[in-house]
């Protein structure tokens, strides 16, 4: 064999060996790339699974909860207790027809200016100094300042919104300047606005009665005079006027009202009745109410009727423990 042939054979063997090594490198690279791709796919799959899983609920930790604070009894609870007491008393005092008012505070709003008048359109309205000033001067020949039905409205709101009334311990009457006597049910809700109150009073004075639309309960009605025949036996009546004897509200109530409202019933004495004026000018007089025992005042300053009522009822509520 010649030298040329040996060189050719060696060159061919070297070229074949180099080609084989290149093929091995390429296959290794392909395998590593496939492994990396599989790892990436597995990582993405685990990430997606973690995102789709709902969050774990937090375990409730049991802690010692302090007991609630003691609060004052509600009006419903107080009403149930009062009804239970009155029912037990009515069993022992079946002969007394006015037993329902025997342990209540009675208030009479006297000389309320509640009069109706027919307007030009033929409808009836409650006569007042703002809308009928010229009519009062020319036709009625009277001072328009006297016609203040809003005073009665304010006093009724003060009475019926009080905790004493919500506890079922208050009975309210109205006596108008025309000597019309009106009895109010403790559950009646007086309209807040004067315009609606005026329409209600016109309806009452014409139909003589206002009933609830739900259960037919008589909320307001006109009753027969005199007022004294509607008072329970043994009632004590007192008038409120700035000309009466001056007392502080707490001292007055301590002297006139018993500490327990049921004590008066057990001892055979009647409830206390206060007569408060609902007019713009004038005073409550013994001539109009001869059954008044004494006249009292609760301030050295002239007060509105609503302010005087709030002071008196506040002292009674404190005396009877009504919150």
């Amino acid at each position: 064999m010649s030298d040329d042939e040996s060189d050719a054979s060696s060159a061919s063997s070297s070229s074949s060996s180099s080609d084989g090594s290149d093929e091995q490198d390429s296959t290794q690279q392909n395998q590593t790339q496939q492994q990396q791709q599989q790892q990436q796919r597995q990582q993405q799959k685990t990430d997606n699974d973690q995102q789709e899983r709902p969050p774990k609920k937090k375990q409730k930790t049991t802690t010692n909860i302090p007991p609630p604070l003691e609060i004052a009894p509600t009006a419903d609870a107080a009403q149930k207790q009062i009804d239970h007491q009155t029912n037990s008393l009515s069993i022992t005092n079946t002969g007394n027809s006015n037993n329902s008012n025997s342990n209540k505070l009675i208030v009479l709003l006297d000389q309320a200016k509640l009069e109706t008048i027919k307007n030009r359109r033929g409808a009836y309205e409650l006569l007042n100094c703002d809308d009928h000033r010229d009519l009062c001067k020319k036709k009625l020949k009277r001072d328009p300042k006297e016609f203040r039905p809003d005073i009665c409205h304010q006093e009724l709101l003060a009475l019926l919104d009080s905790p004493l009334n919500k506890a079922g311990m208050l009975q309210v009457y109205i006596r108008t300047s025309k000597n019309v006597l009106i009895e109010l049910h403790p559950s009646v809700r007086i309209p807040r606005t004067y315009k609606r109150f005026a329409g209600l009073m016109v309806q009452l004075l014409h139909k003589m009665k206002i009933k609830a639309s739900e259960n037919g309960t008589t909320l307001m009605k006109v009753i027969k005079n005199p007022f004294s025949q509607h008072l329970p036996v043994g009632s004590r009546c007192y008038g409120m006027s700035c000309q009466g004897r001056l007392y502080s509200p707490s001292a007055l109530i301590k002297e006139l009202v018993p500490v327990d409202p049921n004590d008066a019933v057990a001892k055979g004495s009647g409830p206390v009745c206060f007569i408060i004026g609902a007019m713009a000018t004038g005073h409550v007089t013994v001539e109009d109410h001869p059954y008044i025992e004494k006249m009292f005042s609760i301030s050295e300053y002239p007060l509105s009727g609503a302010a005087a009522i709030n002071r008196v009822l506040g002292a009674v509520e404190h005396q009877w423990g009504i919150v």
Side-chain angles (χ1 to χ4, degrees):
M1 183 180 291
S2 64
D3 295 334
D4 294 333
E5 290 177 355
S6 62
D7 293 335
S9 61
S10 61
S12 60
S13 61
S14 62
S15 61
S16 60
S17 62
S18 63
D19 294 337
S21 62
D22 293 337
E23 290 178 358
Q24 290 178 358
D25 294 339
S26 61
T27 53
Q28 289 178 358
Q29 290 178 358
N30 292 331
Q31 289 177 359
T32 55
Q33 288 179 358
Q34 291 177 0
Q35 290 177 357
Q36 289 178 359
Q37 289 177 0
Q38 288 179 358
Q39 291 177 357
Q40 289 178 358
R41 290 173 184 172
Q42 290 178 357
Q43 185 69 26
Q44 289 178 357
K45 188 176 181 181
T46 54
D47 293 340
N48 294 331
D49 292 340
Q50 289 178 357
Q51 291 178 358
E52 291 176 358
R53 289 178 185 174
K56 294 182 179 180
K57 295 182 179 180
K58 294 182 179 179
Q59 296 181 354
K60 295 182 179 180
T61 58
T62 57
T63 57
N64 295 326
I65 301 174
L69 296 176
E70 184 179 358
I71 58 175
T74 60
D76 295 336
Q79 181 64 36
K80 290 180 181 178
Q81 184 178 2
I82 292 164
D83 293 339
H84 178 71
Q85 292 174 355
T86 54
N87 290 334
S88 61
L89 288 170
S90 61
I91 294 173
T92 57
N93 299 326
T94 54
N96 189 3
S97 60
N98 290 324
N99 188 46
S100 59
N101 294 338
S102 57
N103 61 343
K104 294 182 179 181
L105 181 72
I106 301 175
V107 175
L108 172 65
L109 302 181
D110 192 31
Q111 296 295 323
K113 292 292 183 179
L114 301 176
E115 300 180 22
T116 60
I117 193 168
K118 194 173 184 179
N119 59 16
R120 296 178 181 177
R121 295 172 293 179
Y124 286 93
E125 296 177 348
L126 198 64
L127 190 63
N128 62 86
C129 61
D130 294 327
D131 300 330
H132 311 101
R133 181 175 295 273
D134 295 336
L135 182 63
C136 294
K137 290 181 179 179
K138 296 178 181 179
K139 186 176 180 179
L140 301 178
K141 305 296 183 181
R142 297 173 66 181
D143 188 2
K145 296 180 181 179
E146 297 179 2
F147 297 95
R148 292 285 308 279
D150 59 300
I151 296 176
C152 181
H153 181 216
Q154 294 170 7
E155 293 181 355
L156 285 177
L157 289 176
L159 286 167
L160 299 177
D161 284 347
S162 64
L164 190 68
N165 180 66
K166 296 181 185 298
M169 305 295 291
L170 181 65
Q171 178 62 51
V172 181
Y173 295 91
I174 303 173
R175 179 174 172 267
T176 69
S177 58
K178 295 292 186 180
N179 204 22
V180 178
L181 191 60
I182 302 170
E183 181 182 2
L184 281 78
H185 194 272
S187 65
V188 66
R189 296 182 63 184
I190 297 298
R192 299 291 171 178
T193 60
Y194 169 76
K195 191 172 183 180
R196 294 182 61 188
F197 168 76
L200 182 66
M201 289 295 107
V202 171
Q203 183 181 358
L204 173 65
L205 294 174
H206 284 216
K207 294 186 176 181
M208 314 295 286
K209 187 181 293 185
I210 298 293
K211 289 187 176 182
S213 58
E214 297 178 356
N215 51 12
T217 304
T218 302
L219 301 176
M220 304 172 70
K221 63 180 178 179
V222 177
I223 56 179
K224 292 183 180 180
N225 282 293
F227 172 66
S228 57
Q229 73 176 2
H230 301 282
L231 293 174
V233 178
S235 299
R236 297 164 295 157
C237 295
Y238 303 99
M240 304 295 295
S241 173
C242 60
Q243 296 179 348
R245 185 176 180 182
L246 182 61
Y247 276 86
S248 66
S250 58
L252 178 65
I253 297 304
K254 285 181 181 179
E255 183 176 346
L256 302 180
V257 179
V259 177
D260 188 355
N262 297 320
D263 287 346
V265 182
K267 294 177 182 178
S269 61
V272 176
C273 174
F274 288 108
I275 300 177
I276 302 173
M279 59 284 197
T281 57
H283 304 277
V284 176
T285 59
V286 182
E287 287 77 11
D288 294 334
H289 306 278
Y291 40 83
I292 292 179
E293 297 182 10
K294 292 181 182 180
M295 300 291 294
F296 294 105
S297 175
I298 56 172
S299 177
E300 58 184 359
Y301 305 102
L303 301 176
S304 64
I309 287 170
N310 288 328
R311 299 195 76 187
V312 172
L313 296 189
V316 175
E317 291 161 4
H318 180 72
Q319 180 90 339
W320 287 351
I322 297 175
V323 181

